[in-house]
Amino acid sequence: MTRQTLFVLVLLVLALAAPFGIYPIFLMKGLCFALFAAAFNLLLGYVGLLSFGHAMFFGWSAYVTAHAAKEWGLTPELAILAGVALAAVMGAVVGWLAIRRQGIYFAMITLALAQLMFFLAVQAPFTHGEDGIQGVPRGHLFGLIDLSDTLTMYYFVLAVFVAALLFLYRVVHSPFGQVLKAIRDNEPRAISLGYQVERYKLIAFVLSASLAGLAGSVKSLVFQLASLADVHWHASGEVVLMTLLGGVGTVFGPTVGAFLVATIQNYFSEAGSWVTIIQGVIFVVCVLAFRSGIVGVLAPFLKKRGIQA
Amino acid sequence: MMTVFGIPAAALFGQLLLGLINGAFYAVLSLGLALIFGLLNIINFSHGAQYMMGAFVAWLLLTYAGAGYWVALAVAPVLVAVVGIIIERTMLSRLYKLDHLYGLLLTFGLALIIEGAFRQLYGISGMPYAVPKELAGGWNLGFMYLPIYRGWVVLASAVLCLGTWFAIEKTKLGAYLRAATENPALVQAMGINVPVMITLTYGFGVALAAFAGVLAAPVYSVNPLMGSNLIIVVFAVVVIGGMGSIMGSVLTGFMLGLLEGLTKVFYPEAASTVIFMVMVVVLLIKPAGLFGKGA
Amino acid sequence: MFKKTLVGAVAALALSAGTASAQFTDNKVKIGVLTDLSGTYSDLAGQGSVLAAQMAIEDFGGKLNGAPIELVSADHQNKADIASSIARKWYDTEQVDAIFDLVTTAAAVAVREVSREKGRIDMNSGAGSTVLTNDKCSATGFHWTYDVYAMAVGTGNAVVKQGGDSWFFLTADYAFGHDLEAQTAKVVKANGGTVKGSVRHPFPNADFSSFLLQAQASSAKIIGLANAGSDTINAIKQAKEFGITQAGQSLAGLLVFISDVHSLGLDTAQGMMLTTGYYWDRDDASRAFAKRWSEKMKGRMPTMVHAGVYSSVLHYLRSVEKAKTDEGAKVAEQIRTLPIKDFFAVNGKVRADGRMVHDMYLAQVKKPSESKGPWDYYNILRTIPGDEAFKPLADSTCALVKK
């Protein structure tokens, strides 16, 4: 068995045992954030597009899933599917609009579109505005497994997370993924080689949006709540922070970043604005001195030992 | 009572006038943002926080130094600009050689720090700041009662925007600035100190934000979140106006204010969303923005 | 297979741990004050509520079951998701037994759900909406100080009787605001008045100019402010700035606290009618509490929320003592049956729907000439008996109320 496989197996065992030592709700929050960050990382790290509005997929998916589970009585897997489907559609529309531009313009367009979606969320009656959708039932998975038990829910979330990460890994290491990296490194060259660059970018965007939506859907079931905070641009900023801190373009970077951010939030949640200040400081430090992120810095050491992070 | 499309004229004109006043803030803020973007190619995400700092400095001057509104109008922009220049010299300038997105992220981080710190110190309910005596009271225009102060806001903003536009487009200094945007190396070779110009431009853009903050202090309560609520709208204004165009941003700012005012009469809930809808439409038809000069 | 055995073992351990410490979880009582420490409602609740809880613990004796009573507090920033996470964390990992204050309905409802799920007590003094004793009622949840029905009945009635029979509402766009508007509209119509229209403003909001202009265009005699805290203050100030009050329309603050009157100043606020559950200068016992509280709060005076937190914490502790356990359901029984004895809950009793019914007071803000000093702001016009002030039990949609 290779070092890489061993490394992954160790992580998996740790993940399975974690809820017996660490507060499971915190772990689930970390996993949802990690999935969100991984989805964002696909776009930034492998395609080179900085989206500053990813919260719209995360948050709207959360709302749809919450509504589906609470008002329509759908079982969790169907409710999640509904949320992801919406995120995919939104991703297609937003992607089609935004991909016409690059770099900073792309970022600004995604930000503004996300604001549009934010205001829609405030106005739409089903979201209940400031109150949010509360008391979302976790339901029975496939009609059989009761998810209101915290431990069961944790394993479900972990399974979804691992599956999604595996999917991302396959995408990135496929021919499709290679083209994406080519586009990131030198777009004019990719075009000259005959690739339909716009189409690749759009597909990547839709994939990223759908996975972000998956993270949001799961999160709304974990916390049994979908609120405006999920669609606010601060959430978009947070996912950028997680990815930047963890390491853009690395496999485990977003996960590391996500758990760190979740830990900071947890630790400082009762002290109000300190969370914001600390996040700001991390942003500044990372941009000035630490651009490859934690995993990015560790990557050379791990590579020598045969582990690709 | 006269009606326009079924709405009483008084209500319509009243909301339009209020919209114009809001537009004045959008215009001044987007002016500063467009200036900074035009020259430095950096989206100054901390623009909203700098606007907020301007308002707070005005409040602090009043509370601790007894210095009134007129002093604040002159002093606050300078103080905040100094902070801005320090930021530019110590942090932003390191990023010019990198992808422009890093500048965006840095200023975003700075905005978080500034807002978090002020929120921690002052809470979010807002500090009272009274309208200066000279501008208190109002005129009864028949269709609405216009507080004099709000009229002053429109006037001051218009003068400031026109003055800046004139300086950039019609003066020698402005010419150097525009040339440096196109080809900094060449301009530097001609003996003009480009880095100093860049620093001063950033400072001026920040000063504009702070000035808007002082203007806003008596109108919107002085609170740490006042900037973050506005900044996204201002970004949309700049995108619509055309990201390098100064006049474009100013005109769009005023236009947006009017559009919002109009929307408030017919469909109030959509008032905050209408700007983004316009942005989508503009991007579809003319991606460079209404007054923009190309990709 | 292994997982099932593991889960089974953990469950067995948990169960046995449960039966061992039968009386008090972790052998002590821990209470939490979850409030708005830095935002729109921080003056009417906030740090003052934490202090009030502290005072109640001291007056109770500071100890229960041989161990000191612990107090934790946090800022929910008026957000439902933050309130929900903190409450969950407190219950799951910090053995908090009960949560108090809970200003802002969105946060209150979120914590009510979590508390209900975990069987812990939540005693709400800060939020206004009547959903807490109707659709969202719970066996371990209580609504202590005031609610929007009481405000509508008290203030709404009084204003309409004075001649304010046409209304336009300026409403904070969340459950509390909607509820306050709906209840007051009912009262206005029941008294023969009309509602000319309403507009919803974002919560929180700084600039009311366009909303006030719409209110002006409606020509209603009364502009009803279905909001609270700094929203109400800003609306009133800006109404003056735009000459709306000078032009003849009156503002009715439907939920006004003494902290708001202090911010506005008697000049602006004089003559305003309001309903309150507590006034610091009403009688000796009220004054005594206020004096102690004021010493630690830089000379400010407590609002009804602060008094309500004191009262609910004290009653909770007494109920725990009587029940000899901190288990939610048993304590809740005692909360309902034990008589309430303090300066705040005059003629107070707790109903099946969790509503603590007590006397309310109709007050009017004094003219500057009538006031002898700071915080001397109210003339109490009449006492509204609890049964008149609060929604009749028969009308409650709470599932716990047997019909």
Side-chain angles (χ1 to χ4, degrees):
Chain A
M1 144 175 341
T2 63
R3 278 270 173 81
Q4 180 79 16
T5 325
L6 189 62
F7 181 67
V8 172
L9 273 176
V10 167
L11 286 177
L12 212 59
V13 168
L14 282 172
L16 285 169
F20 297 102
I22 308 177
Y23 184 35
I25 303 271
F26 167 74
L27 287 172
M28 288 193 267
K29 180 174 183 178
L31 287 174
C32 290
F33 276 1
L35 181 54
F36 187 22
F40 175 79
N41 185 38
L42 174 68
L43 214 52
L44 182 61
Y46 296 100
V47 189
L49 291 170
L50 171 67
S51 155
F52 225 107
H54 248 54
M56 60 178 143
F57 308 118
F58 183 81
W60 266 91
S61 215
Y63 273 127
V64 167
T65 301
H67 187 77
K70 188 171 182 198
E71 303 295 329
W72 298 338
L74 290 184
T75 51
E77 75 281 357
L78 289 177
I80 291 177
L81 245 103
V84 174
L86 176 77
V89 169
M90 272 176 71
V93 173
V94 172
W96 179 76
L97 276 169
I99 291 205
R100 296 152 157 248
R101 316 288 276 135
Q102 280 143 342
I104 287 230
Y105 297 86
F106 175 83
M108 296 323 301
I109 294 171
T110 52
L111 177 57
L113 285 171
Q115 272 312 95
L116 187 63
M117 297 311 298
F118 176 79
F119 286 121
L120 280 177
V122 172
Q123 297 306 331
F126 87 95
T127 60
H128 303 294
E130 294 293 338
D131 303 312
I133 303 181
Q134 302 196 14
V136 177
R138 287 210 187 133
H140 289 74
L141 187 64
F142 305 123
L144 298 167
I145 311 170
D146 184 9
L147 290 180
S148 36
D149 171 55
T150 310
L151 204 60
T152 322
M153 187 71 195
Y154 172 77
Y155 287 122
F156 171 63
V157 173
L158 185 63
V160 169
F161 174 74
V162 171
L165 231 58
L166 270 167
F167 173 72
L168 270 172
Y169 187 81
R170 291 311 312 264
V171 165
V172 166
H173 289 88
S174 68
F176 173 77
Q178 300 292 56
V179 177
L180 289 181
K181 279 187 250 184
I183 295 173
R184 174 196 67 191
D185 291 335
N186 196 331
E187 190 167 333
R189 189 125 196 265
I191 299 175
S192 74
L193 284 169
Y195 286 108
Q196 292 196 303
V197 166
E198 299 303 320
R199 196 185 290 180
Y200 278 90
K201 286 204 267 190
L202 185 60
I203 296 178
F205 196 91
V206 172
L207 280 174
S208 176
S210 311
L211 286 170
L214 179 62
S217 293
V218 174
K219 183 221 150 254
S220 73
L221 290 176
V222 170
F223 289 97
Q224 303 181 268
L225 176 66
S227 72
L228 286 175
D230 302 329
V231 268
H232 196 273
W233 58 269
H234 269 163
S236 293
E238 253 174 19
V239 74
V240 179
L241 178 68
M242 291 180 226
T243 312
L244 193 63
L245 177 62
V248 181
T250 62
V251 175
F252 294 107
T255 310
V256 170
F259 270 93
L260 268 166
V261 170
T263 312
I264 293 171
Q265 279 192 0
N266 205 45
Y267 197 72
F268 288 95
S269 68
E270 291 158 39
S273 315
W274 278 108
V275 182
T276 318
I277 299 176
I278 291 171
Q279 285 181 342
V281 170
I282 296 178
F283 249 116
V284 171
V285 168
C286 276
V287 168
L288 286 177
F290 201 46
R291 277 182 286 274
S292 36
I294 292 174
V295 175
V297 163
L298 290 174
F301 299 108
L302 289 169
K303 200 122 194 203
K304 274 193 230 153
R305 283 157 188 72
I307 297 172
Q308 196 228 337
Chain B
M1 167 148 14
M2 207 171 69
T3 61
V4 178
F5 297 121
I7 311 286
L12 186 66
F13 292 134
Q15 295 290 5
L16 278 176
L17 193 51
L18 280 179
L20 193 67
I21 296 166
N22 284 337
F25 286 109
Y26 295 146
V28 178
L29 284 171
S30 58
L31 174 65
L33 207 64
L35 205 59
I36 294 174
F37 182 75
L39 194 64
L40 281 67
N41 247 303
I42 286 182
I43 300 278
N44 184 26
F45 221 109
S46 33
H47 213 66
Q50 285 150 350
Y51 158 80
M52 181 266 289
M53 283 201 288
F56 258 97
V57 167
W59 177 79
L60 287 167
L61 283 171
L62 182 66
T63 316
Y64 295 109
Y69 178 78
W70 302 102
V71 172
L73 260 184
V75 171
V78 172
L79 285 176
V80 180
V82 166
V83 173
I85 288 176
I86 295 174
I87 291 174
E88 198 270 338
R89 283 284 92 204
T90 55
M91 295 188 259
L92 271 177
S93 49
R94 291 173 206 270
L95 302 175
Y96 293 150
K97 296 200 175 62
L98 298 173
D99 193 323
H100 295 308
L101 291 171
Y102 282 115
L104 170 68
L105 294 176
L106 178 80
T107 50
F108 180 76
L110 287 169
L112 288 179
I113 297 176
I114 296 171
E115 277 176 13
F118 273 86
R119 198 196 153 119
Q120 195 64 22
L121 288 168
Y122 298 108
I124 68 157
S125 344
M127 309 306 204
Y129 194 88
V131 172
K133 281 191 297 308
E134 300 83 6
L135 296 171
W139 297 308
N140 195 333
L141 300 174
F143 59 86
M144 82 172 261
Y145 180 87
L146 175 68
I148 294 179
Y149 185 77
R150 300 207 183 209
W152 152 252
V153 165
V154 179
L155 189 65
S157 313
V159 166
L160 189 62
C161 291
L162 258 149
T164 310
W165 172 83
F166 187 83
I168 305 270
E169 295 292 319
K170 305 284 177 190
T171 65
K172 201 156 84 167
L173 179 65
Y176 289 158
L177 226 66
R178 282 178 286 126
T181 323
E182 308 255 345
N183 197 334
L186 195 58
V187 174
Q188 179 89 19
M190 301 258 182
I192 294 169
N193 195 335
V194 173
V196 166
M197 240 183 8
I198 291 181
T199 306
L200 287 175
T201 309
Y202 185 77
F204 183 66
V206 171
L208 281 173
F211 185 84
V214 179
L215 279 182
V219 176
Y220 309 129
S221 69
V222 178
N223 77 78
L225 296 181
M226 62 196 291
S228 68
N229 295 335
L230 269 184
I231 191 71
I232 311 283
V233 177
V234 175
F235 280 141
V237 168
V238 173
V239 169
I240 294 176
M243 286 174 92
S245 165
I246 308 248
M247 197 35 103
S249 307
V250 170
L251 284 174
T252 312
F254 279 108
M255 274 195 323
L256 166 68
L258 286 170
L259 187 61
E260 260 187 14
L262 204 65
T263 318
K264 279 203 179 124
V265 180
F266 295 105
Y267 188 21
E269 289 83 2
S272 18
T273 333
V274 73
I275 174 70
F276 302 108
M277 298 197 242
V278 170
M279 196 196 74
V280 171
V281 169
V282 167
L283 283 170
L284 284 173
I285 304 176
K286 196 171 185 241
L290 290 175
F291 302 89
K293 297 162 202 145
Chain C
M1 182 61 212
F2 168 76
K3 208 194 290 186
K4 263 201 225 154
T5 330
L6 191 57
V7 172
V10 172
L13 257 165
L15 266 173
S16 59
T19 42
S21 62
Q23 315 295 44
F24 286 79
T25 55
D26 75 324
N27 287 322
K28 60 175 183 275
V29 172
K30 196 163 175 182
I31 69 177
V33 173
L34 190 52
T35 180
D36 173 14
L37 288 175
S38 59
T40 325
Y41 299 148
S42 49
D43 281 340
L44 59 94
Q47 200 55 43
S49 296
V50 181
L51 175 62
Q54 195 69 53
M55 286 166 67
I57 295 176
E58 278 164 24
D59 289 352
F60 179 77
K63 277 187 178 190
L64 240 180
N65 192 39
I69 303 167
E70 284 182 23
L71 175 65
V72 287
S73 63
D75 184 358
H76 61 44
Q77 302 178 43
N78 298 321
K79 296 203 173 104
D81 51 308
I82 298 184
S84 165
S85 320
I86 294 179
R88 211 179 267 275
K89 188 170 80 139
W90 274 355
Y91 288 146
D92 285 344
T93 65
E94 294 185 39
Q95 294 89 40
V96 170
D97 300 304
I99 301 187
F100 297 84
D101 184 285
L102 293 166
V103 67
T104 308
T105 303
V109 172
V111 174
R112 173 59 64 89
E113 294 294 328
V114 177
S115 309
R116 189 212 310 273
E117 188 193 316
K118 315 252 168 202
R120 311 276 175 111
I121 305 264
D122 70 282
M123 294 178 85
N124 194 308
S125 283
S129 175
T130 47
V131 297
L132 290 171
T133 48
N134 285 276
D135 291 337
K136 307 274 181 187
C137 70
S138 121
T140 53
F142 301 93
H143 202 180
W144 209 253
T145 306
Y146 72 97
D147 63 28
V148 302
Y149 183 92
M151 297 295 120
V153 156
T155 315
N157 259 326
V159 171
V160 176
K161 290 206 171 84
Q162 269 193 328
D165 54 10
S166 62
W167 285 61
F168 183 93
F169 287 100
L170 210 56
T171 306
D173 197 5
Y174 72 113
F176 154 73
H178 304 164
D179 197 13
L180 186 52
E181 180 194 327
Q183 305 278 10
T184 313
K186 242 194 256 176
V187 168
V188 166
K189 288 187 195 145
N191 277 296
T194 51
V195 175
K196 293 223 163 169
S198 72
V199 67
R200 292 191 172 165
H201 69 75
F203 163 73
N205 186 45
D207 182 30
F208 285 88
S209 49
S210 63
F211 305 109
L212 286 169
L213 226 60
Q214 286 177 53
Q216 196 174 40
S218 75
S219 331
K221 286 194 198 142
I222 306 285
I223 302 177
L225 299 174
N227 52 25
S230 46
D231 283 347
T232 306
I233 297 177
N234 285 333
I236 295 178
K237 280 199 184 140
Q238 285 169 29
K240 195 164 177 208
E241 187 195 340
F242 276 85
I244 290 181
T245 25
Q246 290 90 305
Q249 284 170 306
S250 293
L251 294 158
L254 292 168
L255 180 52
V256 178
F257 298 84
I258 198 164
S259 47
D260 303 327
V261 176
H262 186 75
S263 287
L264 285 167
L266 284 180
D267 211 25
T268 314
Q270 61 183 305
M272 187 157 52
M273 305 268 253
L274 54 97
T275 311
T276 182
Y278 164 82
Y279 178 48
W280 69 272
D281 206 11
R282 190 179 62 85
D283 63 8
D284 287 334
S286 304
R287 276 186 281 272
F289 170 74
K291 187 156 177 290
R292 278 171 64 202
W293 188 93
S294 180
E295 268 154 26
K296 299 234 172 79
M297 292 295 291
K298 305 193 193 148
R300 296 178 70 88
M301 283 295 162
T303 64
M304 60 170 161
V305 174
H306 302 136
V309 169
Y310 175 93
S311 168
S312 53
V313 171
L314 193 56
H315 189 73
Y316 170 77
L317 292 172
R318 288 177 179 154
S319 306
V320 172
E321 190 178 40
K322 188 93 194 299
K324 298 210 208 320
T325 172
D326 58 6
E327 195 232 304
K330 299 218 169 65
V331 177
E333 267 173 51
Q334 289 303 329
I335 290 177
R336 288 195 166 90
T337 48
L338 202 63
I340 312 171
K341 287 198 175 68
D342 60 45
F343 66 89
F344 169 76
V346 178
N347 295 317
K349 55 184 187 293
V350 182
R351 300 194 313 207
D353 58 354
R355 176 71 248 170
M356 198 281 275
V357 168
H358 63 102
D359 288 352
M360 301 285 286
Y361 311 100
L362 180 66
Q364 187 166 36
V365 179
K366 289 182 172 176
K367 297 204 256 287
S369 51
E370 291 174 308
S371 164
K372 289 186 234 87
W375 301 97
D376 177 20
Y377 296 150
Y378 293 174
N379 284 322
I380 305 287
L381 297 179
R382 68 176 266 250
T383 303
I384 310 173
D387 292 325
E388 184 191 325
F390 294 98
K391 191 170 174 184
L393 195 58
D395 293 345
S396 175
T397 57
C398 172
L400 296 169
V401 174
K402 295 173 196 21
K403 299 269 161 84

